[in-house]
Amino acid sequence: MASTNDLKNGMVLKLEGGKLWSVVEFQHVKPGKGPAFVRTKLKEVLTGKVVDKTFNAGVKVETANVDKRTMQFSYKDGENFVFMDMDTYDQLTVEPSAVGDAAKYLLEGFEALVAQNEGSVLYVELPAAVELTIEHTEPGVQGDRSTGGTKPATLETGAEIQVPLFVTTGEKVKVDTRDGSYLGRVK
């Protein structure tokens, strides 16, 4: 338990029937008339939904302990993903729902941030950009476009992204893991 006066950015609260909310920003407000209050912007940990919530100053709120560790992706076991803790070498099996879109850009040996609360995995977060090899793309033909054109390319993980016409099969490219956009070739 913590007081609303102790809130900090990044703190995780357990509200509304056990849902986990991360504090994005907060502001203590002391109006000229009436009691002080705390205005917060909270982000639901699992869905990413952001809401504004106001608390009276000094009210007790339940905090949740979220353990974030950098782990290495080892292999896929059926539908599940197996990660290894680099410090203890313990293996952790993660369900596809917790991995989410990160699965499109995950290769064996990649490191990811795994967030856990009370033994259950909340989410897996990859670095903002990863380097992957183009498995297949059609050759770009000069004159196929009016302005800087793009074409579909399949990555070694099976994900499909849009790349410029000059990119060829076998090249290593940098991909933004948040939206799947092409960031450039890797030398």
Side-chain angles (χ1 to χ4, degrees):
M1 287 296 225
S3 164
T4 53
N5 297 336
D6 304 328
L7 291 181
K8 291 180 177 60
N9 289 347
M11 186 181 261
V12 179
L13 308 177
K14 194 182 267 189
L15 305 170
E16 300 167 18
K19 285 187 180 176
L20 298 177
W21 298 84
S22 176
V23 178
V24 178
E25 60 184 60
F26 66 97
Q27 179 184 16
H28 292 274
V29 180
K30 177 79 175 96
K33 195 169 164 184
F37 59 91
V38 179
R39 188 179 294 138
T40 62
K41 188 175 280 189
L42 303 174
K43 178 179 176 183
E44 192 174 357
V45 172
L46 293 175
T47 63
K49 182 173 115 181
V50 178
V51 298
D52 293 320
K53 189 161 177 67
T54 304
F55 297 96
N56 289 331
V59 169
K60 296 280 184 209
V61 287
E62 191 177 350
T63 58
N65 186 18
V66 175
D67 180 28
K68 295 179 183 175
R69 290 183 184 198
T70 300
M71 293 186 164
Q72 187 179 48
F73 174 57
S74 296
Y75 60 94
K76 200 166 176 195
D77 181 22
E79 286 292 305
N80 296 326
F81 297 81
V82 179
F83 287 86
M84 183 176 65
D85 188 320
M86 298 308 291
D87 298 329
T88 63
Y89 300 109
D90 290 339
Q91 292 198 338
L92 176 70
T93 302
V94 181
E95 292 181 11
S97 59
V99 177
D101 284 344
K104 290 193 236 174
Y105 311 108
L106 206 51
L107 273 184
E108 290 178 14
F110 274 20
E111 290 190 353
L113 191 71
V114 179
Q116 293 177 277
N117 172 252
E118 297 172 5
S120 67
V121 177
L122 300 173
Y123 60 87
V124 173
E125 189 177 295
L126 283 176
V130 292
E131 294 176 2
L132 295 165
T133 305
I134 301 283
E135 190 117 307
H136 174 75
T137 186
E138 296 296 327
V141 179
Q142 193 62 23
D144 264 4
R145 56 188 164 64
S146 54
T147 57
T150 61
K151 60 184 178 179
T154 306
L155 299 170
E156 58 187 310
T157 59
E160 196 167 281
I161 63 167
Q162 291 293 319
V163 296
L165 293 174
F166 57 79
V167 174
T168 59
T169 300
E171 278 192 88
K172 205 168 189 132
V173 294
K174 203 171 207 176
V175 180
D176 188 321
T177 57
R178 295 165 294 200
D179 60 7
S181 63
Y182 166 85
L183 295 174
R185 290 194 280 192
V186 177
K187 302 274 185 273

